[in-house]
Amino acid sequence: MNNAASTRPVRPVQEVAQAPDWQPQSWQELPALQQATYPDSAALNAALAKLANLPPLVTSWEILSLREQIAEAQEGRRFVLQGGDCAESFDEVCSPLITNRLKVLLQMSLALVHGLEMPVVRIGRFAGQYAKPRSSDNETRDGVTLPSYRGDLVNSIEFTEAGRIPDPERLLKAHYYSAMTMNFVRSLVDGGFADVHHTEYWDLSWVEHSPLASEFHRLTESLGQSLRFMETITGRDVGSLRRVDFFTSHEALHLHYEQAQTRQVPRQWGWFNLGTHFPWIGMRTADLDGAHVEYFRGIRNPVGIKVGPGISREWLTGLLEKLNPAREPGRMVLIHRMGESHIEEKLPRLIRAVQDTGSPVLWISDPMHGNTESTGSGIKTRRFGKVLREMELAFEIHRDCNSRLGGVHLELTGENVTECTGGARDLSDEDLTRDYKSTVDPRLNYEQSLELAMLIVSKHKHNVA
Ligand code: PEP
Ligand code: CO
């Protein structure tokens, strides 16, 4: 999304022509799940018309550069780190939160680059992650029933009648807030954002509490040394080497919003979603004959699909056939989110089914969404041990199937919230009430995120040793 992405020549990814019979609005003929019902359709249309004329958030060449990098990851030459909030909120578009989220992602990526010895593709779950699928259309509290909160893109978290009515103005606000987020992220990355690269500025006080403390110390020490070495040979600080790519992603759930961002550009064929580099299809809307799959069929962005335990082999291979009929490299990313108790039973058959098609995919692991549970007192949480276990199993299962896990997808924040239990500091159920901020799913905090990155590296080192 910056410098490197825009200056490096883009190796043409082999592609075929535009999907036939497809238009940005052709999804409207099919059943669309998880959409908001707006009471005033004239106001909705006015907001969408305005949105369709605003400058886009990303460019076609950045999208094609990401496709190229995903194609390389499919060949085992890159690793993908995708992470950010479950849901962004308008109130949290502010400097410290954006800076800290970027900081933890960059620091994790440096640990991964160093430990896995390959380039890492950084993809934020931000600048557009404003729409949420819900298990029910309505929510009832104390006998009062109102529409469910569907993310800041649609309505307010506030449980009032006025707050829960879908408001089309929010579509424009989401675009403005995404643009502000992107603008700040691009400036931080372009400007060097130097201190995050220096391990002496990392907050590593948690390391002492980990059973792997000495291994983690060795890792940060050797990472620090190699960064200093880079600086010595180039004569510049690593932060100003202007070589950091950063891409954005969100669940493309609200199809009117996505359609308004879907554009044609000069000197390129076909259509691009210019609201994000990497949109994904959520688990609840991946129906083969549904509107979401139809929408994704016609855009040239790389496409993510969440693959849950309920998906069959036929369904998954049907999605590949529909979304990538020409088997183009760099197009498909399968994000499995099985849960640590299901992954061993469910994943191997799916890996083999995809292998049998010969269609190129990048598999990445989301160890968060299959491991959500409620504590005795009803707080939604995730246990760090289970998240880690699913991640480890994912690496092993792919290896045993002669496949490759090429990335991770995490819900995280750069703050020290207490939403997931466990980790080096062994947060307990009681700790959850101390600093629980998420309005949707529980996120790994700063320390747990860095710890997970280091554990991936540690696991990798032991596997190759
Ligand atoms: C999410 O990523 O926040 C989400 C809703 O995931 P899934 O579609 O995998 O449940
Ligand atoms: Co989530």
Side-chain angles (χ1 to χ4, degrees):
M1 125 178 186
N2 69 28
N3 40 68
S6 48
T7 51
R8 188 188 311 126
V10 175
R11 173 164 57 86
V13 173
Q14 273 183 357
E15 289 179 290
V16 290
Q18 179 64 46
D21 313 325
W22 184 92
Q23 289 296 319
Q25 70 280 10
S26 52
W27 63 268
Q28 294 185 21
E29 306 296 317
L30 295 165
L33 299 179
Q34 299 283 345
Q35 303 303 290
T37 310
Y38 290 87
D40 182 349
S41 54
L44 172 64
N45 290 335
L48 292 171
K50 169 99 181 117
L51 187 57
N53 272 324
L54 289 173
L57 298 175
V58 305
T59 61
S60 59
W61 57 90
E62 289 169 349
I63 291 170
L64 294 176
S65 166
L66 177 60
R67 276 192 63 144
E68 187 196 340
Q69 294 190 27
I70 291 176
E72 289 175 9
Q74 288 173 342
E75 292 165 6
R77 292 190 283 123
R78 285 178 187 268
F79 191 78
V80 170
L81 171 65
Q82 184 179 16
D85 291 321
C86 180
E88 292 178 278
S89 77
F90 294 166
D91 285 346
E92 292 192 343
V93 179
C94 61
S95 168
L97 291 179
I98 295 172
T99 311
N100 287 341
R101 190 171 49 205
L102 201 64
K103 175 173 140 182
V104 71
L105 285 167
L106 280 172
Q107 291 178 347
M108 291 170 80
S109 72
L110 282 178
L112 292 168
V113 168
H114 181 72
L116 305 183
E117 296 173 14
M118 68 172 78
V120 168
V121 187
R122 303 166 184 89
I123 307 178
R125 262 181 84 113
F126 55 58
Q129 177 54 18
Y130 287 115
K132 294 311 296 175
R134 302 319 304 248
S135 42
S136 161
D137 282 346
N138 295 308
E139 180 183 347
T140 301
R141 284 191 208 174
D142 303 326
V144 180
T145 299
L146 294 175
S148 295
Y149 170 60
R150 291 188 172 277
D152 278 10
L153 185 66
V154 173
N155 56 4
S156 165
I157 184 91
E158 206 181 296
F159 192 74
T160 61
E161 202 164 338
R164 290 294 171 92
I165 296 173
D167 175 5
E169 280 298 308
R170 286 176 169 271
L171 300 169
L172 294 167
K173 277 195 190 156
H175 190 72
Y176 304 147
Y177 282 120
S178 298
M180 281 183 252
T181 304
M182 298 279 288
N183 183 52
F184 190 42
V185 169
R186 287 181 194 273
S187 304
L188 286 170
V189 170
D190 280 354
F193 200 35
D195 59 349
V196 305
H197 294 89
H198 289 267
T199 45
E200 47 274 37
Y201 296 111
W202 293 22
D203 177 0
L204 295 168
S205 51
W206 57 272
V207 169
E208 301 308 325
H209 303 272
S210 163
L212 296 182
S214 54
E215 182 170 348
F216 289 167
H217 275 307
R218 275 199 304 279
L219 172 70
T220 45
E221 178 59 24
S222 76
L223 174 56
Q225 274 168 7
S226 61
L227 292 175
R228 279 189 291 278
F229 177 70
M230 282 271 292
E231 291 179 355
T232 314
I233 55 170
T234 60
R236 301 161 71 189
D237 97 38
V238 174
S240 66
L241 289 178
R242 301 177 65 83
R243 61 186 176 83
V244 178
D245 281 353
F246 226 106
F247 297 98
T248 63
S249 67
H250 65 249
E251 178 174 351
L253 184 69
H254 190 302
L255 289 174
H256 280 298
Y257 180 74
E258 304 301 332
Q259 181 190 323
Q261 316 262 13
T262 304
R263 320 265 173 97
Q264 286 178 303
V265 298
R267 291 179 294 284
Q268 289 284 358
W269 61 268
W271 296 84
F272 292 86
N273 182 327
L274 297 181
T276 188
H277 300 111
F278 178 43
W280 79 82
I281 308 180
M283 192 189 68
R284 292 164 190 76
T285 49
D287 214 344
L288 260 177
D289 300 315
H292 288 80
V293 171
E294 172 61 18
Y295 168 75
F296 273 79
R297 189 168 70 86
I299 55 171
R300 287 183 65 193
N301 304 58
V303 170
I305 308 176
K306 287 291 199 90
V307 178
I311 204 163
S312 66
R313 287 178 291 184
E314 297 69 30
W315 182 355
L316 185 56
T317 54
L319 285 168
L320 293 180
E321 187 53 38
K322 202 151 197 173
L323 292 168
N324 193 18
R327 304 177 176 197
E328 300 162 24
R331 164 76 167 166
M332 298 304 308
V333 180
L334 301 178
I335 309 165
H336 54 72
R337 33 86 80 226
M338 298 289 168
E340 60 87 51
S341 57
H342 293 297
I343 187 167
E344 286 169 292
E345 181 204 337
K346 305 281 181 185
L347 186 59
R349 289 153 46 114
L350 295 174
I351 294 174
R352 291 198 192 98
V354 171
Q355 282 169 333
D356 288 347
T357 67
S359 199
V361 304
L362 179 69
W363 286 102
I364 75 179
S365 162
D366 165 359
M368 312 296 292
H369 284 89
N371 294 312
T372 315
E373 56 185 88
S374 278
T375 65
S377 50
I379 304 175
K380 220 179 182 190
T381 192
R382 288 163 175 155
R383 316 278 180 204
F384 187 86
K386 290 192 177 177
V387 169
L388 177 63
R389 185 74 194 125
E390 176 161 356
M391 177 108 278
E392 289 177 341
L393 286 169
F395 277 105
E396 285 165 21
I397 292 167
H398 279 281
R399 195 194 51 214
D400 293 348
C401 292
N402 216 1
S403 169
R404 181 175 173 274
L405 186 69
V408 292
H409 177 119
L410 300 168
E411 286 188 343
L412 54 79
T413 169
E415 311 302 303
N416 264 328
V417 297
T418 57
E419 298 173 4
C420 294
T421 61
R425 287 193 199 272
D426 200 17
L427 296 182
S428 67
D429 285 8
E430 287 69 53
D431 290 319
L432 295 179
T433 49
R434 199 172 64 236
D435 214 352
Y436 196 105
K437 299 258 175 61
S438 176
T439 52
V440 202
D441 289 338
R443 302 160 295 177
L444 297 175
N445 64 23
Y446 172 81
E447 297 182 341
Q448 291 168 328
S449 303
L450 265 190
E451 185 179 358
L452 194 73
M454 291 195 191
L455 286 165
I456 293 172
V457 167
S458 157
K459 173 95 185 147
H460 174 79
K461 292 248 178 267
H462 292 131
N463 272 349
V464 294

